[in-house]
């Protein structure tokens, strides 16, 4: 058995693998959505947000704390409308509270 022992970059590995390429594409999509809503969210609140997965038009936002989660739930219709205006079909925004670092 002849194996190549040449190291490849993570970027090359993701581009060469359909599964990893799809995963990276979904991560990029989620990050771009988060960046798109940034102007609508107060800076102190935005610092507590993380982009989560997108599944069948439903996007998850991961937040630190109940207060941020409650405010985002109130803002959800506006955020969905903004994302749709930017070309993302967003049927729902789910808010999940992070248990890490609480």
């Amino acid at each position: 058995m002849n194996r190549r022992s040449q190291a490849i970059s993570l970027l090359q590995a993701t581009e060469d693998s359909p599964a990893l390429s799809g995963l990276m594409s979904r991560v990029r999509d989620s990050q771009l959505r988060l960046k798109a809503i940034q102007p609508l969210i107060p800076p102190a609140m935005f610092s507590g947000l993380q982009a989560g997965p997108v599944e069948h038009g439903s996007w998850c936002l991961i937040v630190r704390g109940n207060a941020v989660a409650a405010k985002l739930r109130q803002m959800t219709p506006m955020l969905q409308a903004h994302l749709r205006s930017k070309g993302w079909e967003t049927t729902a925004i789910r808010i999940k509270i992070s248990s890490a670092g609480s």
Side-chain angles (χ1 to χ4, degrees), residues 9-49:
S9 71
L10 180 59
L11 178 60
Q12 184 181 353
T14 59
E15 290 171 348
D16 291 346
S17 165
L20 289 176
S21 178
L23 177 61
M24 290 303 294
S25 176
R26 289 191 303 274
V27 168
R28 254 189 314 275
D29 176 53
S30 186
Q31 291 293 329
L32 288 171
R33 289 173 193 239
L34 184 61
K35 187 174 181 175
I37 65 167
Q38 184 173 5
L40 305 175
I41 298 175
M45 198 166 123
F46 188 81
S47 67
L49 301 181

Side-chain angles (χ1 to χ4, degrees), residues 3 14 16 51 72 91-92 94:
R3 288 186 143 192
T14 59
D16 291 346
L72 275 178
T91 56
R94 296 175 292 123

Side-chain angles (χ1 to χ4, degrees), residues 37-64:
I37 65 167
Q38 184 173 5
L40 305 175
I41 298 175
M45 198 166 123
F46 188 81
S47 67
L49 301 181
Q50 289 181 327
V54 178
E55 296 171 339
H56 310 292
S58 177
W59 180 42
C60 180
L61 275 172
I62 302 165
V63 302
R64 279 188 260 153

Side-chain angles (χ1 to χ4, degrees), residues 18 22 46 79 88:
F46 188 81
L79 298 176
W88 282 288

